[in-house]
Amino acid sequence: MDAGNDGATTPVLLNVYDLTPVNDYLYWLGFGVFHSGIEVHGMEYGFGAHDFSSSGVFEVESKCCPGFVYRKTVSLGTTDMSREDFRSFIERLAGKYHGNTYNLIAKNCNHFTDDVCRNLTGKPIPGWVNRLARAQFLTVYYQKASKFLLLDVSQLFVQLLVCIF
């Protein structure tokens, strides 16, 4: 524990934003297209895409992320990290999240907030926040795997026919 925090704990909050009005319907089905930012020590941190190899991590006023419609805040736990230690932590983590590595399915804003949350609290963000990206990832993975499996099965079938004849 850092003396700069005087032994106090600080809330770790997840601010969730809608990316589309369709979320009003999808949310009740456990889906949606969401942006999220992590709020610690009164400021919010997020990850976004750009064309450069520099960090895509940014800091904004809590619950005011430009371009998104605020939906809700989810309490994720607490941290005893001081403001200075947290700032250093975010700067180190930002080195893993370059704007040109953003990927809607595999490395998005919700992956960033999940990474921060796991490091600070040992727990993940709620599953519904990034469920659509995970479902898309599994669909793409299944499609690629099934093509590979079909190819292998067809090759085995051809080899079997060659052996028979």
Side-chain angles (χ1 to χ4, degrees), residues 128-140:
W128 59 266
V129 176
N130 209 24
R131 184 169 288 138
L132 199 58
R134 280 196 311 277
Q136 182 63 28
F137 173 79
L138 291 174
T139 302
V140 169

Side-chain angles (χ1 to χ4, degrees), residues 83-102:
R83 185 180 305 272
E84 295 77 24
D85 287 344
F86 178 74
R87 175 74 101 182
S88 294
F89 162 73
I90 285 292
E91 288 173 4
R92 283 190 310 277
L93 191 63
K96 291 174 39 181
Y97 289 89
H98 295 234
N100 63 353
T101 64
Y102 185 97

Side-chain angles (χ1 to χ4, degrees), residues 2 8 17 19 24 28 50 70 72 83 93 95 113 130-131 135 145-146 154 161:
D2 187 280
Y17 300 83
L19 293 179
D24 288 339
W28 300 110
H50 57 69
Y70 172 77
K72 69 185 294 183
R83 185 180 305 272
L93 191 63
T113 57
N130 209 24
R131 184 169 288 138
S146 65
S154 64
L161 289 176

Side-chain angles (χ1 to χ4, degrees), residues 6 13 18 29 34 50 54 61 68 85 89 144 149 152 154:
D6 295 328
L13 305 171
D18 288 327
L29 299 172
F34 301 107
H50 57 69
S54 58
E61 184 179 330
F68 305 111
D85 287 344
F89 162 73
K144 289 181 179 180
L149 290 174
D152 283 350
S154 64

Side-chain angles (χ1 to χ4, degrees), residues 15 55 58 66 68 85 88 92 116 118 122 128 135 140 148 164:
N15 293 326
S55 178
F58 58 89
F68 305 111
D85 287 344
S88 294
R92 283 190 310 277
V116 174
R118 286 175 189 270
W128 59 266
V140 169
F148 175 75
I164 294 173

Side-chain angles (χ1 to χ4, degrees), residues 20-90:
T20 173
V22 174
N23 280 357
D24 288 339
Y25 306 102
L26 294 176
Y27 178 76
W28 300 110
L29 299 172
F31 284 96
V33 184
F34 301 107
H35 169 77
S36 66
I38 201 91
E39 181 182 341
V40 179
H41 292 293
M43 290 302 292
E44 184 174 323
Y45 300 84
F47 171 57
H50 57 69
D51 294 331
F52 308 104
S53 62
S54 58
S55 178
V57 174
F58 58 89
E59 178 184 271
V60 295
E61 184 179 330
S62 296
K63 301 177 190 78
C64 296
C65 194
F68 305 111
V69 177
Y70 172 77
R71 172 173 283 276
K72 69 185 294 183
T73 297
V74 179
S75 178
L76 301 171
T78 61
T79 182
D80 60 0
M81 219 181 257
S82 70
R83 185 180 305 272
E84 295 77 24
D85 287 344
F86 178 74
R87 175 74 101 182
S88 294
F89 162 73
I90 285 292

